Amino acid sequence: MGNTYSSLKSVFLNLIKENKENNSFIPLLLVLVTIPLSYAFNNIAMGLFFVVTVVSFRKAHFKIESVLIWPILLYLLMALSYLWSIDKENTLSALSKEIPLLLIPVGFLLLKDFTKVQKEKIIACFSYSMVVLAMYFVIKAVIRYLLFGDIRAFFYHGDNDNDFGLVPKLLNAIHVSVFVSVAFFYFFTKPVKAKADWLFSLFLFGFVLLLSSKNIILVLILLVLIHVFFFSKLSHQLRLRNLIVFGLIVGLIFSFGRIKNRFQQEFQTNSDKSLSANVVEGASPEVHYVSLKEAWSNESFTPNDYFPGTAFRVYQFRIFIELFKENEVFFTGFGLNASYPKIEEKAKQHNLYLGDDGQDGYQTKNFHNQYVQNFAELGILGFVLLLVMLIININKAYKSKDFVHFAFAILMISLFLTESFLWRQRGVVFFTIMYCLFNSGVVTNNSKAE
């Protein structure tokens, strides 16, 4: 007990010391660690961060960094879209949710640059907070299982009717998977690991598996292999041999009958499984599972047709193309958060399930693809601004040799294919902070040469 108290005291004093060096250190850290908590806590932390950066501003701190201008430009375009929005009420309400795209980069423009050590400590504190969060939800799941005997307590998130699931639906298992994955790579890529680092790495990896986001799991495994083959200390000696062995293993796995059939079903036939999370839960056994081909080509569906996650995203991309052919919005889009009326029109046109008895229908869902979402609502310029930020992010990650930054960049590129991550408050806060932290000021460098 005495050692624990001493350790906590040491951590607290260290944070106070860093905050004396840079008054924005603790406020920014609070914004980051409160992302999974109630929106109220995160909003308060965001306000505190912005106020502190303004009050502590010194002319010598101010600098113009192009990497920080891009998210600001994206927000300004969102605000400008109100002028042509087809749903001005939705656009206006969404602007407050997207305000981190403006406040966080402006804060970084005003604050004193974080040192490399300070940035690493912020990532470290965030990672430890994710360990605590994961422990909380695992303990909660164990207690629920002992009380109710419901195995759902260990997986994914609950649905609209109940809170069963490893995390609440409002928190979203896919989003938590991203947060935890970044924390996992902090521990996994440490050059020198203590036993606790190995333990936390294993625990967070297992937690991501329980969250059951196939897309994130596949990317996580891919990134682990990339680190082992190309970034670890033994990578140069073992790279060729490992690549050969890995290629043989992957070939054998995907040649194995049942596994091969599962992936063929994903892309060729009707299947109740999907690489992407389903957007409407609770399909009965009698429903017809829509294939990718049907999602792309069928002119009409029935309320008995059920879209697995990947099939629904194919359908959404299809109607995005249809909408752009039918409406002259290539340069402007429909306006921020204003695509819903058009999505609903298409759902009725194609006779999709529209919901009943408190169950949401497909017409209430956004595009579940950040690239498409930006293009549909903000036009070609909104799409280009998003691509510019992602290119800057991956380019600086590659140059810095910081694998946590690299993992964040790849996770975002992949996640944006299946989720409109920036159209959710936790998503936009997380992306904007990490983007600004990794790419602005002093860029971290964890290269082996160093």
Side-chain angles (χ1 to χ4, degrees), residues 429-445:
V429 173
F430 179 76
F431 173 81
T432 310
I433 282 189
M434 288 297 192
Y435 171 85
C436 294
L437 188 66
F438 281 128
N439 296 302
S440 69
V442 179
V443 178
T444 59
N445 187 335

Side-chain angles (χ1 to χ4, degrees), residues 158-197:
D159 56 35
N160 292 329
D161 298 324
N162 63 67
D163 192 28
F164 273 96
L166 186 57
V167 299
K169 184 176 178 64
L170 183 62
L171 193 53
N172 194 301
I174 300 171
H175 297 181
V176 176
S177 295
V178 176
F179 307 154
V180 172
S181 294
V182 172
F184 161 79
F185 281 109
Y186 166 75
F187 295 109
F188 183 72
T189 61
K190 277 188 173 183
V192 179
K193 299 182 187 67
K195 289 182 179 179
D197 297 319

